[in-house]
Amino acid sequence: MPLRAHRRTVLPAALIALAVGLSGCSSPTSQLDEYNQIEQGNARPAESPQVSDPVEGEVIPVPGSVVALVATGDRVAAQVDGPPGLEIGRVDGDRWIAEASVELPADAGIASAGHDGSVLVPFGDGVVVISPTGEAREISGLGPVTAAAETDDGRILTGDDDGSVVLRDSDGVEQDRVSGLTAVDRISVARDGSVTALSRPDTVVASIDFDEDVAGPLLRAGKGAGMLAGFGEGTMIASDTVGSTLLVYSTSPVRLHQQFPVAAQPWAVAADDSRDVVWVTSTGTNTVQAYDLGDGTGVRRADIATVRQPDSLAVTQSGTVVVGSSDGAGLHLIRPTLSAPAS
């Protein structure tokens, strides 16, 4: 993984937010008053409407509620909470072919993808690394881990409860660390090897460069960022759950390139390499949408009704969109047809 040094031109997050808030045409005083009345940060999935109507595709039952989804090729690992575990299956169109079940610690955090098809799950004393075939390896003695990811050379990244991102070898031995965040809720590794972390309490995304001691640049991510996902080479997408927008960043270092409105209370985000679009779930409407980022503004290409409380999302290599319900409704497997791009 390239560990590059970057020249910094960092503005405080509060100053960035204020500049955004005062950019409209109304008076600075009224804009500032309105902005200060909105609760910032600490995003969580909004409670969904009770009614959902997933007409397209197939809904597959799984034990308990779905906490997270990780897709590698056409294999999907569904993290569930009844009891805590991973349900690993192969997706063929809109069919689910179960392959393995893996038990997880009771205090398991949110799963993320490794570089070689593995799945990483943080927990109260370390990380569990699960192979694509369901073999689990527990790395303990690390203390509470809040988020985990893996570099393209097999090293492990962990987030600590003191707001640090730690670089470890494959056995968990600490090699380096970067501090300076309030919390580490998600870690994203782009295809170019650049690392970005999300701190939900202050809705900040930050570049993580192990040639530096402190995280940065730091950028305010909307009004309440929820989830991160990589998209293409050196690009990251984030849901602004509180502000109901999608954020598109370049990485190395992190810079905001696009921000546009989406359906209410977006949460889960995933890249669709087969169609070159981004998928976003809306917990406010029980839908999942596809957005084409090609023209710089974000064009909606699909809007599909899905299961209630669609808090997790993944897209397989062959293009099946998988939505997970945290309300016990299971997995929704969809083979979508996109609308034609605007001429």
Side-chain angles (χ1 to χ4, degrees):
M1 179 185 74
L3 303 177
R4 294 175 291 276
H6 305 301
R7 297 185 62 185
R8 297 185 180 180
T9 56
V10 183
L11 291 175
L15 182 58
I16 295 171
L18 181 60
V20 172
L22 299 181
S23 62
C25 58
S26 58
S27 72
T29 301
S30 64
Q31 288 252 342
L32 180 60
D33 289 344
E34 181 180 351
Y35 188 85
N36 286 336
Q37 291 173 3
I38 301 173
E39 184 178 351
Q40 307 289 304
N42 289 311
R44 290 179 293 180
E47 184 175 354
S48 291
Q50 290 296 323
V51 177
S52 64
D53 186 22
V55 176
E56 295 186 39
E58 295 291 333
V59 176
I60 310 299
V62 294
S65 299
V66 181
V67 177
L69 291 170
V70 176
T72 304
D74 286 328
R75 181 180 280 113
V76 173
Q79 184 180 3
V80 298
D81 67 356
L86 282 184
E87 298 296 321
I88 301 174
R90 184 166 55 85
V91 175
D92 181 8
D94 58 7
R95 292 194 306 133
W96 174 268
I97 303 168
E99 293 187 339
S101 295
V102 181
E103 292 184 10
L104 293 176
D107 57 355
I110 301 300
S112 59
H115 79 287
D116 59 353
S118 61
V119 177
L120 284 76
V121 181
F123 71 101
D125 193 37
V127 179
V128 182
V129 181
I130 301 99
S131 74
T133 57
E135 298 171 351
R137 179 172 66 97
E138 188 172 297
I139 304 173
S140 59
L142 309 183
V145 175
T146 58
E150 193 173 26
T151 67
D152 57 6
D153 61 1
R155 289 183 288 178
I156 296 172
L157 297 161
T158 60
D160 287 354
D161 54 7
D162 66 355
S164 297
V165 177
V166 182
L167 178 66
R168 304 179 183 275
D169 67 16
S170 59
D171 294 321
V173 177
E174 180 173 335
Q175 296 180 330
D176 210 339
R177 73 170 50 221
V178 169
S179 60
L181 294 172
T182 302
V184 182
D185 295 288
R186 296 295 287 174
I187 303 171
S188 175
V189 181
R191 290 179 187 172
D192 65 358
S194 53
V195 179
T196 306
L198 166 66
S199 171
R200 286 197 188 114
D202 44 9
T203 189
V204 162
V205 294
S207 292
I208 303 298
D209 178 2
F210 289 101
D211 288 337
E212 305 287 345
D213 295 326
V214 179
L218 292 86
L219 295 182
R220 172 64 61 84
K223 297 172 183 175
M227 294 295 282
L228 296 179
F231 180 65
E233 185 79 16
T235 303
M236 178 191 68
I237 51 178
S239 57
D240 176 10
T241 305
V242 176
S244 291
T245 63
L246 186 69
L247 309 167
V248 183
Y249 294 91
S250 63
T251 60
S252 186
V254 62
R255 289 193 177 93
L256 179 65
H257 278 262
Q258 298 181 45
Q259 181 174 2
F260 55 89
V262 294
Q265 287 83 53
W267 185 256
V269 288
D272 183 343
D273 294 334
S274 67
R275 301 179 183 88
D276 200 26
V277 296
V278 172
W279 290 90
V280 186
T281 66
S282 164
T283 57
T285 61
N286 291 330
T287 57
V288 58
Q289 296 88 33
Y291 292 92
D292 187 334
L293 308 182
D295 68 354
T297 59
V299 176
R300 190 169 66 187
R301 300 278 304 281
D303 188 1
I304 301 170
T306 189
V307 289
R308 184 176 187 272
Q309 210 61 60
D311 291 357
S312 54
L313 176 68
V315 183
T316 68
Q317 185 175 30
S318 60
T320 299
V321 177
V322 185
V323 182
S325 166
S326 68
D327 191 45
L331 301 175
H332 187 192
L333 277 56
I334 312 165
R335 296 292 296 178
T337 300
L338 303 187
S339 63
S343 56

